[in-house]
Amino acid sequence: MKQSTAPGGAGIAGKVVAITGASSGIGEAAALLLAERGASVVLGARRTDRLNDVVGRIRAGGGQAVSRAVDVTRRADLEGLVGQAVEEFGRLDVLVGNAGISRLSPVADLDVDGWQAMIDVNLNGVLNGIAAALPVFRRQGAGHLVTTVSTSGLKIVPTQALYAATKNAVRTLLEGLRQESTDGVLRTTAVSPGYVRTELVDSMDMLPEVRDEVRRTMAELGIDPAAVARAIAFAVEQPHDVEIGEIVVRPTRQG
């Protein structure tokens, strides 16, 4: 076991950070940036081949990283991710809940399976992470939940009602948890990205015309995932008595 040298204090160096959805996009960018700044990262996702590539790049640059297969809909997988952080590095300072899916369609299409899939990943996946990490944070006396939500929950548009609903549920959950945690142990941060150039659109199950429109918008407006990673790093590096409750990161031209 490699003992962490930063017990939840200011800065990033020495902190132990677990990240879900870390095989690509925002999760990958956050892993690379936080490791570059001295964090030990524990990476989880379903695509282990991609995870292994990220871990290899971090280690090649002199950073510390481990990974495991994680499906956030399985509570045991999140418990395993948190447990690996503690076993490998002695503690867990931050859990970045980044895994998410999107199924876009009008509510009247009654894509009930899509609704349930988004609830399972976007909401229950976050709850599973909280259930796994919170006891560890309480034992340590410090911990930080950084969770990716979305600007879709700030501006509601057609075809995104259910996706936005799951993201707003998480936003409400984090605020409620914050108000229940004013003893100074827990920090919560909601990061709301706008259009970001990720593979999310390729995994979306939607009407072809909706997919084409999203792809066009992404190509025209999307920002680099590294921009969101920097926002995550900003929240993580604050001293423990400073909480960044919410950050919105979007293209300057996004409406």
Side-chain angles (χ1 to χ4, degrees):
M1 180 179 71
K2 305 166 187 174
Q3 186 68 39
S4 168
T5 58
I12 292 173
K15 286 187 175 177
V16 179
V17 183
I19 305 173
T20 66
S23 61
S24 65
I26 293 169
E28 176 186 6
L32 294 170
L33 179 61
L34 293 172
E36 179 184 324
R37 296 189 182 182
S40 300
V41 295
V42 184
L43 309 181
R46 290 178 297 180
R47 296 179 296 180
T48 54
D49 56 331
R50 297 285 295 270
L51 276 182
N52 292 337
D53 177 66
V54 177
V55 168
R57 290 160 63 192
I58 290 171
R59 290 178 175 173
Q64 295 193 84
V66 295
S67 67
R68 67 186 294 125
V70 171
D71 179 343
V72 296
T73 67
R74 294 170 50 87
R75 183 176 174 183
D77 284 10
L78 272 301
E79 290 173 342
L81 184 72
V82 170
Q84 184 170 1
V86 175
E87 180 179 350
E88 290 278 346
F89 301 112
R91 62 184 295 111
L92 176 66
D93 296 297
V94 185
L95 174 62
V96 179
N98 176 68
I101 62 170
S102 179
R103 300 270 291 263
L104 304 186
S105 65
V107 176
D109 283 1
L110 300 180
D111 179 19
V112 178
D113 290 341
W115 301 350
Q116 190 60 58
M118 285 187 286
I119 291 169
D120 287 344
V121 174
N122 299 350
L123 177 55
N124 290 336
V126 172
L127 287 168
N128 286 338
I130 291 172
L134 195 54
V136 173
F137 291 164
R138 288 288 173 195
R139 286 198 302 270
Q140 294 173 167
H144 191 178
L145 295 168
V146 180
T147 308
T148 303
V149 283
S150 174
T151 57
S152 291
L154 301 176
K155 179 180 180 180
I156 313 302
V157 300
T159 75
Q160 296 186 19
L162 267 296
Y163 177 69
T166 62
K167 294 300 186 177
N168 275 338
V170 171
R171 184 177 281 108
T172 300
L173 168 67
L174 293 175
E175 173 59 15
L177 184 56
R178 183 193 71 79
Q179 294 195 31
E180 293 173 359
S181 307
T182 55
D183 57 0
V185 172
L186 180 69
R187 294 189 293 169
T188 66
T189 300
V191 179
S192 293
Y195 285 107
V196 180
R197 294 192 301 273
T198 70
E199 298 174 8
L200 180 63
V201 65
D202 297 322
S203 65
M204 290 179 179
D205 187 357
M206 66 185 84
L207 295 172
E209 58 269 28
V210 177
R211 183 190 300 276
D212 290 343
E213 180 181 352
V214 173
R215 279 179 170 157
R216 282 195 300 271
T217 304
M218 195 78 74
E220 293 172 4
L221 296 180
I223 57 177
D224 194 288
V228 186
R230 290 192 296 272
I232 291 171
F234 173 71
V236 169
E237 71 186 0
Q238 301 304 311
H240 192 70
D241 62 346
V242 175
E243 180 178 65
I244 306 297
E246 182 152 8
I247 304 176
V248 179
V249 185
R250 59 189 163 208
T252 54
R253 296 191 296 124
Q254 181 175 331

